[in-house]
Amino acid sequence: MWQSSPPGSIYDYIRVASFSIGPDGLVEQWSRRAAGLFGMTSDEVVGRDPVEAFMPAELRPDARRRVGEILDGKEWTGLVPFRIPGEDAVRGLAEIYVMPSETETGERAALCIVVDVRALRRIETDLAASQAIFGQSPFGFVLFGTDFTVVRANKRFATVFGGEADDHRGRTVDDYLARPEAERLAGTLKRVLETGDAVTDLQLVGTPPGSQGRRHWSMNLYRVHSGSGRPVGIAGLATDVTQRHIAAREAASARRNLALLNEASARIGNSLDLETTARELLDVAVPGFCDLASVDLFQGLLTGEEASPGSWGRYHQESGSGSAELRRVAHASAVSDALPGVLPAARSGGAGGSAGDTGPPALGAVHRYPFHSPCAVALRSGRAEDVPGDERGFVHSTLAVPMVAHDIVVGLVQFSRTKGSEPFGERDRALATELAARAAVCIDNARLYRREHERALILQRSLLPPGDPEAAGLDIACRYLPGNTATEVGGDWFDVIELPGHRTALVVGDVMGRGLRAAVAMGELRTAVRTLALLDLEPAEVLSALDEVARGLGTPGGGERSDGFGAGGGSQWPSRAAHKSREADLSEVYLATCVYAVYDPVTRRCTFANAGHLPPVVAEPGEPALLLDVPPGMPLGVGGEPFEEVEVELREGSLLALYTDGLVESRDHPLDEGLDAFRQALTEPSQQLEDVCDHVLRTLDTRHGEDDIALLMARIQGLAPDAVGDWRLPRELRSVGRARELARAQLTAWDLDELVDTTELLVSELVTNALRYGEGEIRLRLLRDRTLVCEVWDAGLVQPRRRRARDTDEGGRGLQLVGLLSAAWGSRRTPRGKTVWFELGLPDGEPAAELSVEQLLSMY
């Protein structure tokens, strides 16, 4: 069967030509390839001497000798220089194979085969380079034929897949890869062969023979052509990229972990609530880090025990009960809700309750971990522990991670992954520990905040009067709303202080600043106000003394401010400049405004003094509410200016309101508008006082949260005329007896016969002292309200002083007797002298307590 040589055969590359020499030594036949090689047509060569035709002149003698030997029947092979057609100065080199032949008549002839040596050298060089590249390449090199079987493979390829390089001839992709990957590679080979489009970085995964680990390869495929362009196969260059794949996966894991930590920083700790913080942790971890998670916190932490934090996690090894009590505060799952109780550690006592439980604790359940369980070990050691999974269970990897903040374990978080997810590695363990630690810090901060918050509330409530303060001749209601709703403490305050003579001091103040520091400053000023009020000073005097107190509180060391503090050479005290910043802070905290009012229920007159505060508001029955014209002095702590007093007589049923600026002032409207709105809200003062307070807070646009709000309201009632006995006595001895008679008659009229004897005795002592040590006219007044008050007035300025009488003294025991028999007694200055008073409790049906022997002997 004759078949033409396909295009692109080897002869196209090596340029083989032929010609024949006749018995006469002349060219007899000349092939077309010879014509192409030597550049001479058959017409130019046939019938000519080949030596003369294309050999250089200097070689012709030797060449003729060679031709003669050939015609004598000798074979010859050699290299023959020749002129390149068209290039006189350039010579080529041909390798000629001469074989003797015979003609039909038996004469000697010759057949010559000519090869261009340059083409041979190029082919040899190309083959050597190809062999070097193919054989010495550090990459796996394989050549697939057009039938997709392996035609050739190099040693590197054989090293990976076993055997020698020649052993791989005829194999297919199914011999190297699992079916899914083999089908993918076969499809790619077919596409490359058909289209000629190269494929780069084709990722393949497989397991080499004799290896247990999965490997990753990157393969480049391209179609191979013959010299004429005919496809002859597909070449593949395979690189093992397993390490690169591992590095990329670790880098991706690191990026994911960093993103997860960044998300945790943003989402965990936005609330100061313990349970909310635990839920925030799980929102970050599920499903980004794990499939299931739960958080347990120590019960002692949740109940707010004041014991040391370490006591929350004490274990009871002796009793065998395991860990301290914990409460399940949060859990989350990214798997189906139809898979309850899948944590394997629950069945082994690791994630569930006490030993013997068959499932994890329910949300909100209080439980203990068995002493030797992984969870209990994690809580004791403060390190993450692996929890063994149930081979038949749904969860195959669990980490029990203690929540540690400032070396204190506050709880435990469990992260679990279900089958199908990668088990936890060392990087995952480190990330889980970091997530738990961040949540633990937030939980510990929430615990500390709650503790400080509770203490601040106790402080705030202890500094405010009780919810329903009582006062003679007044019906009182009050409201307090702190501006800082997070801590519920602030610098506004109000107070209701009982004064002698059934009088009442009403106080409202506002310390500049907010929060706990302002509350502490408020407490100090409130205490000072109460102390000064007990001295029964006039309102202006109280504010002047309070101003000095505030200035002292605002100075480091509690001393008064002095421009010369620290000045002068050689001073051992710190300079004022050294304390400048601290003094600025303290003075700002203790700068305050205050209104102090004293109400007398007998006269229904109220005396006001103002230290930079907003004016009081009075609403009389049937009249619009008015702002009282009380001169505003300088705020407390400024100093240097006296305070003025204003006395106002209030009608029965009038409404008096004292308040702070948080009620009427905000950023959205000016102060005048707030004051007008406040006065309009008091148009119906006849309502119940509690309802009036609620109506004011609902009506006014207080913008609560910007500033503290304090509101103190009092409805004027006054003492009934028949509850007051008032007499003036001349300065003479018989006034003592007259005073006893008036007191007896008045008490009898009031049905207070049980107090007659005590009152007569004490009135006699006070009137006698007024005659002996006082001046001017004597005034006796009895007041009956919640208690009985007796007052004796005179024009003397000398205040009575209680002293211990000597055994030989005939007098000096009157005030001791007053102190023993009365519930309280004292004296105060008045604009025209002084007043000495005592107070007796009203009888409650029980017999009066008699003086003991010790009390009687104490007077001697």
Side-chain angles (χ1 to χ4, degrees):
M1 178 179 179
W2 292 91
Q3 181 177 356
S4 61
S5 176
S9 67
I10 188 63
Y11 301 105
D12 292 335
Y13 290 99
I14 62 176
R15 301 177 66 182
V16 178
S18 65
F19 65 92
S20 62
I21 299 175
D24 55 2
L26 302 179
V27 176
E28 191 175 64
Q29 294 179 341
W30 189 255
S31 68
R32 292 182 179 178
R33 286 185 180 272
L37 175 62
F38 293 102
M40 303 173 68
T41 64
S42 60
D43 294 338
E44 296 175 324
V45 178
V46 174
R48 293 185 59 185
D49 184 352
V51 175
E52 296 288 339
F54 49 81
M55 292 195 68
E58 66 273 13
L59 299 179
R60 290 174 185 174
D62 185 63
R64 290 191 179 94
R65 183 176 57 81
R66 294 289 184 184
V67 172
E69 293 176 354
I70 293 170
L71 293 177
D72 289 338
K74 185 179 180 180
E75 292 187 1
W76 181 80
T77 300
L79 297 177
V80 179
F82 68 92
R83 297 193 307 271
I84 296 177
E87 303 288 344
D88 294 338
V90 180
R91 298 181 179 182
L93 188 65
E95 185 170 344
I96 299 179
Y97 301 88
V98 181
M99 297 170 287
S101 63
E102 293 183 357
T103 64
E104 296 177 355
T105 60
E107 294 180 295
R108 298 289 181 89
L111 177 63
C112 300
I113 305 297
V114 184
V115 178
D116 189 346
V117 174
R118 293 176 303 169
L120 288 176
R121 297 296 179 266
R122 284 197 301 269
I123 292 174
E124 289 174 355
T125 302
D126 292 345
L127 287 175
S130 175
Q131 183 63 30
I133 295 173
F134 191 84
Q136 301 173 20
S137 172
F139 308 110
F141 199 94
V142 62
L143 180 63
F144 294 96
T146 55
D147 58 353
F148 308 123
T149 61
V150 176
V151 176
R152 188 177 180 184
N154 66 351
K155 287 184 177 181
R156 179 60 181 169
F157 187 86
T159 300
V160 176
F161 291 97
E164 298 294 332
D166 292 339
D167 297 339
H168 293 273
R169 296 180 185 273
R171 292 184 181 180
T172 65
V173 294
D174 294 312
D175 297 320
Y176 303 107
L177 301 172
R179 184 170 183 179
E181 291 289 273
E183 291 178 351
R184 190 161 64 91
L185 178 57
T188 305
L189 291 173
K190 183 179 180 181
R191 185 170 69 253
V192 171
L193 182 63
E194 292 176 351
T195 65
D197 297 333
V199 173
T200 59
D201 198 21
L202 175 65
Q203 297 293 318
L204 298 173
V205 181
T207 303
S211 174
Q212 298 297 326
R214 290 163 58 88
R215 310 296 293 179
H216 296 261
W217 296 283
S218 172
M219 199 163 192
N220 298 326
L221 300 172
Y222 57 94
R223 191 170 67 182
V224 180
H225 305 85
S226 66
S228 62
R230 179 177 61 88
V232 295
I234 305 101
L237 184 65
T239 306
D240 191 329
V241 294
T242 304
Q243 293 302 320
R244 188 175 71 185
H245 180 80
I246 294 174
R249 184 173 59 185
E250 291 180 352
S253 176
R255 288 193 297 270
R256 182 196 65 198
N257 292 351
L258 288 175
L260 199 64
L261 289 176
N262 184 57
E263 183 183 5
S265 300
R267 297 180 59 182
I268 299 176
N270 294 319
S271 169
L272 288 174
D273 179 74
L274 301 177
E275 290 84 354
T276 302
T277 302
R279 288 193 295 269
E280 290 170 347
L281 168 62
L282 300 192
D283 290 340
V284 172
V286 179
F289 177 67
C290 62
D291 302 316
L292 302 166
S294 63
V295 176
D296 298 320
L297 297 180
F298 283 116
Q299 180 71 354
L301 181 147
L302 295 169
T303 55
E305 292 181 6
E306 283 297 330
S308 61
S311 65
W312 298 326
R314 285 184 183 142
Y315 288 78
H316 310 282
Q317 187 174 11
E318 296 82 0
S319 61
S321 58
S323 72
E325 289 186 339
L326 297 103
R327 186 192 304 173
R328 177 64 51 87
V329 296
H331 64 155
S333 172
V335 297
S336 173
D337 293 336
L339 297 170
V342 295
L343 291 176
R347 289 183 284 274
S348 63
S354 303
D357 289 350
T358 59
L363 187 64
V366 178
H367 62 97
R368 298 179 188 271
Y369 288 113
F371 186 80
H372 295 291
S373 66
C375 293
V377 173
L379 288 171
R380 286 197 303 274
S381 65
R383 296 188 299 271
E385 293 288 335
D386 291 312
V387 179
D390 187 352
E391 294 181 357
R392 296 172 298 175
F394 185 71
V395 173
H396 74 105
S397 184
T398 299
L399 282 177
V401 185
M403 305 178 72
V404 184
H406 308 117
D407 296 328
I408 298 172
V409 179
V410 298
L412 183 79
V413 58
Q414 293 182 75
F415 303 103
S416 298
R417 288 179 179 174
T418 58
K419 289 187 175 179
S421 301
E422 288 189 6
F424 291 112
E426 287 303 317
R427 288 181 180 270
D428 295 323
R429 179 186 293 265
L431 177 61
T433 302
E434 178 66 21
L435 289 175
R438 295 194 179 197
V441 170
C442 296
I443 287 175
D444 193 53
N445 290 341
R447 175 187 67 84
L448 295 175
Y449 161 77
R450 183 178 63 184
R451 186 186 67 183
E452 297 304 319
H453 184 209
E454 292 174 352
R455 292 177 178 178
L457 284 179
I458 294 173
L459 170 65
Q460 183 81 34
R461 291 165 182 168
S462 67
L463 296 176
L464 295 176
D468 297 316
E470 297 181 356
L474 293 175
D475 182 15
I476 296 177
C478 51
R479 295 290 186 273
Y480 175 77
L481 299 176
N484 189 342
T485 56
T487 59
E488 299 186 17
V489 295
D492 290 12
W493 91 92
F494 61 90
D495 209 347
V496 179
I497 307 171
E498 294 187 44
L499 300 178
H502 288 312
R503 294 171 305 133
T504 303
L506 304 176
V507 189
V508 168
D510 183 0
V511 176
M512 294 186 183
R514 297 171 62 179
L516 187 58
R517 291 187 66 196
V520 172
M522 174 268 287
E524 293 176 326
L525 292 178
R526 177 179 180 270
T527 302
V529 170
R530 279 190 161 265
T531 302
L532 294 170
L534 293 178
L535 298 177
D536 212 353
L537 303 176
E538 295 298 322
E541 294 177 329
V542 170
L543 292 186
S544 296
L546 190 62
D547 177 62
E548 292 296 325
V549 172
R551 295 177 67 197
L553 292 174
T555 304
E560 294 184 359
R561 295 174 184 167
S562 172
D563 292 339
F565 178 62
S571 173
Q572 299 299 315
W573 292 93
S575 66
R576 184 178 183 86
H579 294 277
K580 184 176 180 180
S581 61
R582 185 182 175 205
E583 285 189 11
D585 292 341
L586 292 174
S587 62
E588 181 181 359
V589 168
Y590 290 105
L591 198 65
T593 63
C594 181
V595 168
Y596 186 88
V598 175
Y599 172 69
D600 188 343
V602 178
T603 61
R604 294 199 314 275
R605 300 186 70 84
C606 191
T607 304
F608 296 91
N610 190 349
H613 203 80
L614 294 174
V617 175
V618 173
E620 295 185 344
E623 300 291 337
L626 299 175
L627 297 176
L628 290 181
D629 186 14
V630 180
M634 298 299 291
L636 300 175
V638 174
E641 294 293 332
F643 297 97
E644 300 182 38
E645 292 182 357
V646 173
E647 188 176 63
V648 179
E649 183 175 352
L650 303 174
R651 291 171 50 187
E652 185 81 16
S654 298
L655 190 64
L656 173 64
L658 305 179
Y659 53 95
T660 57
D661 57 359
L663 181 68
V664 295
E665 187 177 20
S666 75
R667 300 176 182 176
D668 300 331
H669 56 74
L671 177 61
D672 291 343
E673 292 184 8
L675 291 173
D676 291 340
F678 182 34
R679 290 191 294 109
Q680 293 174 8
L682 299 177
T683 53
E684 298 182 7
S686 60
Q687 295 180 344
Q688 292 291 330
L689 204 53
E690 295 291 337
D691 295 337
V692 175
C693 287
D694 294 336
H695 174 70
V696 168
L697 294 178
R698 287 195 308 267
T699 303
L700 269 62
D701 184 15
T702 61
R703 300 286 179 176
H704 179 226
E706 296 180 359
D707 197 3
D708 306 330
I709 296 175
L711 176 61
L712 176 61
M713 287 190 173
R715 176 167 284 119
I716 306 302
Q717 295 176 345
L719 289 181
D722 59 356
V724 179
D726 195 352
W727 306 275
R728 296 182 183 272
L729 302 174
R731 191 170 186 80
E732 55 188 27
L733 291 178
R734 62 180 180 176
S735 294
V736 177
R738 177 61 179 163
R740 287 198 296 266
E741 293 174 0
L742 293 173
R744 183 187 307 111
Q746 185 65 66
L747 293 180
T748 302
W750 286 342
D751 294 328
L752 298 177
D753 297 332
E754 297 180 18
L755 302 180
V756 170
D757 294 338
T758 302
T759 303
E760 278 191 50
L761 177 60
L762 299 184
V763 165
S764 175
E765 290 293 336
L766 294 187
V767 173
T768 300
N769 283 345
L771 289 173
R772 180 175 299 180
Y773 305 109
E775 299 178 4
E777 187 181 34
I778 299 173
R779 181 179 177 186
L780 172 65
R781 188 167 75 169
L782 294 178
L783 307 175
R784 178 177 64 92
D785 191 69
R786 290 173 298 166
T787 60
L788 175 67
V789 174
C790 174
E791 298 176 330
V792 175
W793 306 35
D794 69 80
L797 299 177
V798 178
Q799 295 291 324
R801 181 173 61 88
R802 183 176 177 178
R803 65 183 178 85
R804 180 176 295 275
R806 294 190 297 268
D807 295 343
T808 57
D809 291 343
E810 296 182 359
R813 299 178 178 85
L815 291 182
Q816 288 184 298
L817 188 62
V818 172
L820 288 173
L821 296 179
S822 64
W825 77 278
S827 66
R828 67 177 184 274
R829 290 182 298 135
T830 64
R832 292 179 296 275
K834 67 176 181 297
T835 300
V836 184
W837 58 272
F838 68 83
E839 183 177 337
L840 296 175
L842 299 181
D844 54 3
E846 298 292 332
E850 296 183 357
L851 295 178
S852 65
V853 175
E854 290 77 8
Q855 289 176 320
L856 291 174
L857 291 177
S858 66
M859 295 186 295
Y860 296 94

